Amino acid sequence: MEFTASPKPQLSSRANAFSIAALMSSGGPKEKEAAENTIKPLEQFVEKSSCAQPLGELTSLDAHAEFGGGGGSPSSSSLCTEPLIPTTPIIPSEEMAKIACSLETKELWDKFHELGTEMIITKSGRRMFPTIRVSFSGVDPESKYIVLMDIVPVDNKRYRYAYHRSSWLVAGKADPPLPARLYVHPDSPFTGEQLLKQMVSFEKVKLTNNELDQHGHIILNSMHKYQPRVHIIKKKDHTASLLNLKSEEFRTFIFPETVFTAVTAYQNQLITKLKIDSNPFAKGFRDSSRLTDIERE
């Protein structure tokens, strides 16, 4: 018996518009360029800055300026995955050496640190709890300062949670690094007088695992350990730029008790309970009917 090939079905004009071929060819360069232009100027600066550039040669950042040479989305190989502010200590100037930084709500951070702090990351971005809140002393009341925050990997390892041991274990090598980002506090620049009187809170920082994030959230890998860092940079009076990254004009402060593991769901139920008990915005979860017997204890 002979088989003849059936004729290729003809799609209507409406069906053809939704065919795979039509959908694949619809994403033109103009749409990609438009998507890139939705990113904030700060993130354009962060993602287009070359990791190989010396710190003092980085382009100055103006809050209202545009960055980058041309249109088009930068390739993944050109994205900066190294911290934009060095992780190795740099000897500060005599003036900057006088500045001290204290972590507020340290007692709460210590409670989480004893259990092994976990922070939820989501595609849309999730705020940190506890929040990084700091206060400064030793600043010049007449000078202006930029306060920033970034989050860097603690090591090059990936972790898993062993429920039977209630502890974190090394699961292998870290995943490929993600684009490095700086979060500039929205109230910057501060005067020294302001910093002496008020606390600086980073409650608006959001963590995400979306590598294509266009909202300026800090991008992290799940099941990896991270260390938040707070930076203070003295703003030069003779420049109009928001940032002037001169090595002798900034200080970096690290608080070991703020180390955390990024997760998409809490692994340690004691962390879940402590978050519910400590977070004023988690009041709805404090209903005892929602807690397990272990959590009630």
Side-chain angles (χ1 to χ4, degrees):
M1 176 182 263
E2 294 184 2
F3 291 92
T4 57
S6 59
K8 188 176 180 180
Q10 297 294 320
L11 297 177
S12 67
S13 59
R14 179 171 228 162
N16 189 58
F18 290 93
S19 66
I20 294 176
L23 291 174
M24 288 180 66
S25 62
S26 62
K30 289 186 177 180
E31 293 179 9
K32 292 181 180 178
E33 184 177 348
E36 187 209 10
N37 289 338
T38 63
I39 198 167
K40 296 179 182 178
L42 170 63
E43 307 324 320
Q44 290 185 9
F45 164 77
V46 169
E47 295 200 356
K48 292 186 179 183
S49 296
S50 169
C51 296
Q53 280 183 289
L55 188 63
E57 296 178 8
L58 284 176
T59 308
S60 61
L61 172 62
D62 190 304
H64 303 290
E66 292 298 326
F67 299 94
S73 176
S75 65
S76 58
S77 61
S78 68
L79 291 181
C80 180
T81 57
E82 291 294 324
L84 295 174
I85 294 181
T87 54
T88 53
I90 291 177
I91 300 176
S93 65
E94 183 178 351
E95 179 184 353
M96 298 300 288
K98 297 177 182 177
I99 299 177
C101 181
S102 301
L103 177 67
E104 301 293 328
T105 63
K106 184 181 184 303
E107 298 79 8
L108 181 60
W109 277 104
D110 286 337
K111 289 181 182 179
F112 279 96
H113 187 60
E114 289 173 8
L115 298 174
T117 310
E118 299 173 24
M119 294 287 178
I120 294 288
I121 57 176
T122 64
K123 289 292 183 185
S124 59
R126 178 72 65 89
R127 292 190 180 187
M128 298 174 64
F129 184 84
T131 300
I132 300 288
R133 292 187 174 94
V134 296
S135 56
F136 292 94
S137 60
V139 295
D140 176 11
E142 304 299 322
S143 298
K144 291 185 178 181
Y145 299 89
I146 315 298
V147 180
L148 314 90
M149 174 181 158
D150 68 353
I151 298 177
V152 295
V154 170
D155 51 34
N156 60 349
K157 298 178 177 65
R158 177 182 171 86
Y159 292 83
R160 67 179 178 86
Y161 189 75
Y163 293 95
H164 64 287
R165 296 174 59 176
S166 298
S167 61
W168 287 92
L169 304 176
V170 175
K173 291 185 178 180
D175 293 336
L178 298 171
R181 285 183 168 175
L182 288 172
Y183 178 88
V184 180
H185 195 282
D187 292 339
S188 292
F190 295 90
T191 64
E193 185 178 5
Q194 286 176 312
L195 291 178
L196 292 172
K197 293 180 179 179
Q198 69 187 57
M199 175 179 62
V200 178
S201 176
F202 288 94
E203 77 273 359
K204 292 184 179 180
V205 169
K206 287 189 176 183
L207 311 179
T208 183
N209 55 355
N210 180 11
E211 298 182 32
L212 303 178
D213 173 72
Q214 298 286 317
H215 303 288
H217 304 331
I218 295 179
I219 310 172
L220 305 177
N221 278 318
S222 180
M223 297 301 196
H224 291 61
K225 287 188 178 180
Y226 291 96
Q227 170 70 70
R229 304 187 303 166
V230 175
H231 315 277
I232 182 169
I233 301 173
K234 185 178 179 183
K235 184 178 182 297
K236 298 283 187 178
D237 292 333
H238 61 274
T239 61
S241 62
L242 178 63
L243 285 181
N244 196 341
L245 299 181
K246 295 292 185 181
S247 59
E248 73 277 8
E249 291 299 316
F250 80 89
R251 287 289 306 277
T252 295
F253 299 93
I254 294 175
F255 304 98
E257 58 269 44
T258 61
V259 167
F260 66 86
T261 304
V263 296
T264 53
Y266 291 125
Q267 305 295 299
N268 185 347
Q269 64 179 354
L270 295 179
I271 287 290
T272 307
K273 184 178 186 302
L274 185 57
K275 293 242 183 182
I276 291 173
D277 292 343
S278 308
N279 191 344
F281 297 101
K283 187 169 65 173
F285 292 95
R286 295 194 192 109
D287 180 1
S288 61
S289 64
R290 299 189 184 192
L291 299 179
T292 65
D293 293 336
I294 295 177
E295 287 175 323
R296 287 195 193 98
E297 295 173 3

